[in-house]
Amino acid sequence: MDGEEPAPLADIAASLAPNVTPEEPPSGQVTRPVDRAWLGGVCQGLEDRLGWPTVVTRPVFLLLSVWMFLGVAVYAVLWLLFPLGKPEVAAGVAAASRRGYRTAAAPNRRVPVVVGAALVLYGVGVASLMRFVGRGWILVDAFGWVPDNAFALLGVCAGGALIWRQWDQRDRRPRAAAGWVAFGKAALGCLVAAASTVTVIWLRQGQTEALQVLAVGGVTLVGALLLAGPWLLHPEARAAERDEAVKEEAKADMAAHLHDSVLQTLAMLQRQADDPKAVAQLARHQERELRAWLYGEAADEQSFAAALKAEAAEVEDQYGVPVDVVTVGDAALAPELDAVVRAAREAILNAAKHSGAPRVDVYAEAGDDVVEVFVRDRGRGFDAASVAEDRMGIRGSILDRMHRYGGVVGLRSTVREGTEVRLEMKR
Amino acid sequence: MSRWEGDEVTENSAAARHRVVIVDDHEMFRAGVKHEIGPATAIVGEAGDVDEAVRVIGETLPDLVLLDVHLPGGGGTEVIRQVHVRHPEVKFLALSVSDVAEDVIGVIRAGARGYVTKSISGPELIEAIDRVATGDAVFSPRLAGFVLDAFSGSIDVASIDEDLDRLSARERDVLRLIARGYSYREIARELFISVKTVETHVSSVLRKLQLSNRHQLAQWANDRKLV
């Protein structure tokens, strides 16, 4: 389609929409929109659902954080409580993007903002603990009521938030590049947390304690790595995850293909609504395609049955007469069987073109030593004696082809009852 | 069909109009079928999933159930299984868009007495309904092809139950003609036998299909990755 008439397509898309849009969470439920989040998306979610403007809630959370980290704690709890809101992208669009059928809009990059916010938070935390005295900066209690190690906690929170955000909103599709970027961001988060902790302790307690903490932290890290080792090193664990994701994508792509082709057909049906034959033809073509997608066995292109079905489908599309093909057994497509397929095509073509029958039945049986094809219509039939003169199709394409490989052709036709062509070939 | 003919059919078969329940999860399809077979049958109920179907069939006890193979709640085979526990006399005609051998053979082996595709024409469907409701079997060309495929080839001698595991030459002839698109009447003429005899052969094949433990039946399904 060339997009000349967007209106009917849009209508159809709208009517199909319930099938393709992801399920929405129950109304009233606050979700965290990934695409517009600064940190976890809590404030944005509150604005979306309750109408609390982010320009107010964001500073409120920050101010609350100054007192006993209340803001941080509340934010963290809400982060855990609110489910992740999925960006509203229709399955077909997502699949088309993945398959490269369209150019995806660049995702909203908030990461620098988050990193910046984390660093500022960290800086404020450290600075508020220090006061310039004489020879340099020394650490003091900025507020008398701040617990000793609270500001170390602030740094940990900032770093932790970065890591959390990474895992929470990570692109669930495994890609090597995305994997390393994610790893880098998580590492940065760890570094911020660790550095802030060590710095605060260094300034407050002195070098020895800081080194102790560093050592303990190092040991913990090594332990964590050892625990995660099997997953990190075992390719199968990751491969299984990747397989799962690939399967999901394949499913989505298939659904998208189905919906897309149905959409095209529906649009064409609307345009040709006053031509019953064209409508039937389109419907039949679409049915065959859907059937192949949904229930099709993997067709071996080189097999006799597959070749016969393909030829029948082509004639069906060309003349708009349904051709029902039933096959029993199958065989590799040797030259003599290729001749049978071509002869059968001629017979089907004749039936579709001349018989006036509403349907053509094709039955093919590939036995161990003989292959038979029957092409039958319930059309007007003809007088078999007059064939040689006025039906070159039968003479040239059917009889000659079959005879060349030692095949046999049977022809039975009764006026007003129909015609049956029988093709037999020894293997 | 002219009005006169339509009225004629309705009046003549009024006493024998079969009571039918339509089970299909697509409401639009149910409406279409109702429109097509409504004048010739008495539609006493319809259902869109397994539980509803079992309930409606149990309440109305129809002569025949038109049954979709794919249904929410376990599919057509589940409906047949649950209904046949209490009402083994209810007859099922499977009507499906699937055409996958596993579905087709599966629903027949579960107890359906016939299988036709959804693209079947109205008059053909009415004929199939009449046939199944009166105790005969209905095979679509595709089902006939599947059966020929499944019963083809040599079989493990040790496992032969001569009566069940093999098709007779005559049954094979009948099935091949069905696969070629012949009607029962045309088959009878072709083989110089009565329509009643054709029906007997088809019912016999149906019985073998439902009861045979033929190794090849399983093997064949396996080969096509259907199990």
Side-chain angles (χ1 to χ4, degrees):
Chain A
M1 296 296 291
D2 46 23
E4 277 172 22
E5 290 182 6
L9 270 181
D11 287 350
I12 300 164
S15 70
L16 288 178
N19 291 331
V20 291
T21 45
E23 261 182 47
E24 282 207 358
S27 59
Q29 167 79 66
V30 183
T31 58
R32 296 177 289 109
V34 188
D35 44 340
R36 286 165 300 140
W38 276 26
L39 188 59
V42 169
C43 294
Q44 190 64 57
L46 287 172
E47 182 182 81
D48 288 355
R49 192 62 71 184
L50 305 173
W52 301 355
T54 50
V55 283
V56 177
T57 50
R58 280 178 178 143
V60 164
F61 271 112
L62 268 178
L63 284 174
L64 279 176
S65 299
V66 174
W67 188 68
M68 298 292 286
F69 299 101
L70 190 63
V72 175
V74 172
Y75 193 95
V77 168
L78 292 181
W79 189 333
L80 287 173
L81 280 180
F82 296 169
L84 195 59
K86 300 238 166 57
E88 283 174 39
V89 179
V93 175
S97 304
R98 266 203 305 277
R99 290 184 297 164
Y101 283 18
R102 64 185 286 277
T103 310
N108 203 347
R109 295 241 169 260
R110 290 285 188 191
V111 178
V113 177
V114 175
V115 173
L119 290 176
V120 167
L121 213 60
Y122 166 62
V124 168
V126 172
S128 65
L129 291 171
M130 295 190 291
R131 186 175 294 168
F132 189 75
V133 176
R135 291 156 292 157
W137 293 91
I138 59 155
L139 194 69
V140 297
D141 284 339
F143 309 97
W145 37 263
V146 174
D148 279 352
N149 295 315
F151 282 95
L153 214 69
L154 186 70
V156 172
C157 283
L162 246 187
I163 301 167
W164 251 84
R165 190 176 188 278
Q166 199 50 46
W167 284 105
D168 189 34
Q169 297 171 6
R170 87 196 131 120
D171 188 351
R172 272 156 223 280
R173 281 175 298 127
R175 268 179 314 188
W180 284 113
V181 171
F183 185 75
K185 287 178 192 165
L188 183 67
C190 289
L191 217 65
V192 170
S196 60
T197 312
V198 171
T199 310
V200 170
I201 292 168
W202 188 307
L203 291 169
R204 283 193 81 104
Q205 313 283 336
Q207 194 176 353
T208 327
E209 280 80 0
L211 285 177
Q212 272 172 4
V213 168
L214 208 58
V216 169
V219 169
T220 311
L221 185 66
V222 169
L225 279 176
L226 280 176
L227 286 174
W231 186 85
L232 287 172
L233 296 177
H234 237 288
E236 287 110 61
R238 276 176 294 165
E241 256 194 8
R242 203 159 35 232
D243 283 354
E244 202 54 44
V246 168
K247 265 185 222 153
E248 286 293 315
E249 277 182 26
K251 267 188 220 158
D253 287 355
M254 185 167 144
H257 170 92
L258 286 181
H259 287 124
D260 185 55
S261 65
V262 171
L263 213 55
Q264 304 278 8
T265 301
L266 288 177
M268 307 229 295
L269 284 177
Q270 291 188 5
R271 286 183 170 193
Q272 310 194 12
D274 46 357
D275 182 352
K277 197 177 169 191
V279 167
Q281 204 168 333
L282 281 166
R284 179 78 181 175
H285 176 88
Q286 184 60 65
E287 183 197 335
R288 205 177 54 235
E289 194 180 311
L290 281 181
R291 197 182 286 287
W293 265 96
L294 279 173
Y295 308 117
E297 296 163 36
D300 176 6
E301 295 297 326
Q302 298 306 308
S303 93
F304 165 72
L308 187 65
K309 280 176 188 163
E311 294 290 355
E314 218 178 288
V315 175
E316 187 176 281
D317 280 349
Q318 210 171 334
Y319 293 95
V321 178
V323 181
D324 283 338
V325 184
V326 173
T327 59
V328 170
D330 205 351
L333 198 56
E336 71 272 16
L337 292 189
D338 191 50
V340 175
V341 169
R342 282 161 194 278
R345 183 202 159 88
E346 277 317 310
I348 298 168
L349 202 77
N350 275 328
K353 223 158 124 181
H354 303 298
S355 78
R359 190 181 75 215
V360 180
D361 286 301
V362 178
Y363 172 66
E365 190 171 338
D368 288 336
D369 32 52
V370 70
V371 170
E372 278 180 300
V373 179
F374 296 87
V375 178
R376 181 167 189 270
D377 68 70
R378 284 167 208 248
R380 58 175 68 96
F382 56 89
D383 181 5
S386 66
V387 164
E389 284 75 34
D390 63 342
R391 290 255 177 128
M392 279 309 291
I394 288 187
R395 239 206 120 61
S397 309
I398 302 181
L399 293 176
D400 289 355
R401 268 181 219 280
M402 292 297 287
H403 290 163
R404 209 173 302 146
Y405 288 94
V408 180
V409 179
L411 181 68
R412 187 162 62 175
S413 187
T414 313
V415 176
R416 281 193 299 280
E417 279 189 24
T419 307
E420 187 170 44
V421 177
R422 174 174 166 273
L423 310 169
E424 184 190 319
M425 184 72 76
K426 294 258 187 305
R427 294 180 67 188
Chain B
M1 188 182 275
S2 76
R3 190 176 159 70
W4 181 81
E5 279 170 332
D7 291 343
E8 177 89 339
V9 167
T10 314
E11 277 168 32
N12 279 358
S13 54
R17 268 171 63 166
H18 304 297
R19 301 173 67 251
V20 175
V21 166
I22 304 174
V23 180
D24 195 302
D25 54 330
H26 297 101
E27 207 181 330
M28 218 154 84
F29 184 78
R30 289 206 304 263
V33 169
K34 262 184 1 199
H35 176 74
E36 276 189 333
I37 69 169
T41 58
I43 293 158
V44 294
E46 44 185 295
D49 60 45
V50 170
D51 292 340
E52 196 185 356
V54 172
R55 186 173 53 75
V56 169
I57 295 166
E59 284 167 4
T60 57
L61 291 179
D63 299 321
L64 177 130
V65 178
L66 270 182
L67 184 67
D68 190 10
V69 172
H70 290 166
L71 271 183
T77 54
E78 185 62 22
V79 176
I80 299 177
R81 205 183 55 75
Q82 291 188 23
V83 169
H84 274 179
V85 171
R86 288 207 198 135
H87 311 288
E89 73 283 358
V90 175
K91 300 186 183 74
F92 290 90
L93 172 59
L95 186 66
S96 171
V97 77
S98 149
D99 257 4
V100 178
E102 180 194 22
D103 289 340
V104 179
I105 301 282
V107 78
I108 293 290
R109 278 177 76 90
R113 293 198 57 84
Y115 171 87
V116 290
T117 36
K118 279 187 174 176
S119 53
I120 190 172
S121 73
E124 282 176 316
L125 181 57
I126 291 168
E127 196 190 323
I129 288 171
D130 186 55
R131 219 173 269 290
V132 170
T134 51
D136 288 317
V138 168
F139 280 26
S140 70
R142 195 164 300 277
L143 174 55
F146 285 152
V147 176
L148 283 169
D149 231 347
F151 279 86
S152 71
S154 58
I155 52 175
D156 185 6
V157 179
S159 77
I160 286 186
D161 178 340
E162 193 65 40
D163 183 43
L164 285 180
D165 294 345
R166 220 196 276 276
L167 297 181
S168 75
R170 212 44 162 174
E171 287 163 358
R172 203 170 280 277
D173 289 342
V174 169
L175 281 182
R176 289 182 87 215
L177 286 168
I178 292 177
R180 278 158 67 181
Y182 280 60
S183 70
Y184 283 19
R185 197 164 40 79
E186 288 167 328
I187 294 169
R189 206 173 51 185
E190 181 80 13
L191 298 178
F192 304 105
I193 54 180
S194 70
V195 172
K196 194 73 229 161
T197 311
V198 175
E199 288 170 352
T200 310
H201 284 309
V202 176
S203 292
S204 159
V205 173
L206 182 83
R207 193 177 67 94
K208 290 181 182 183
L209 191 57
Q210 287 175 341
L211 299 179
S212 172
N213 289 318
R214 196 185 131 102
H215 169 64
Q216 261 68 22
L217 212 55
Q219 187 60 47
W220 173 78
N222 255 328
D223 289 347
R224 302 178 130 233
K225 300 185 187 69
L226 302 175
V227 175

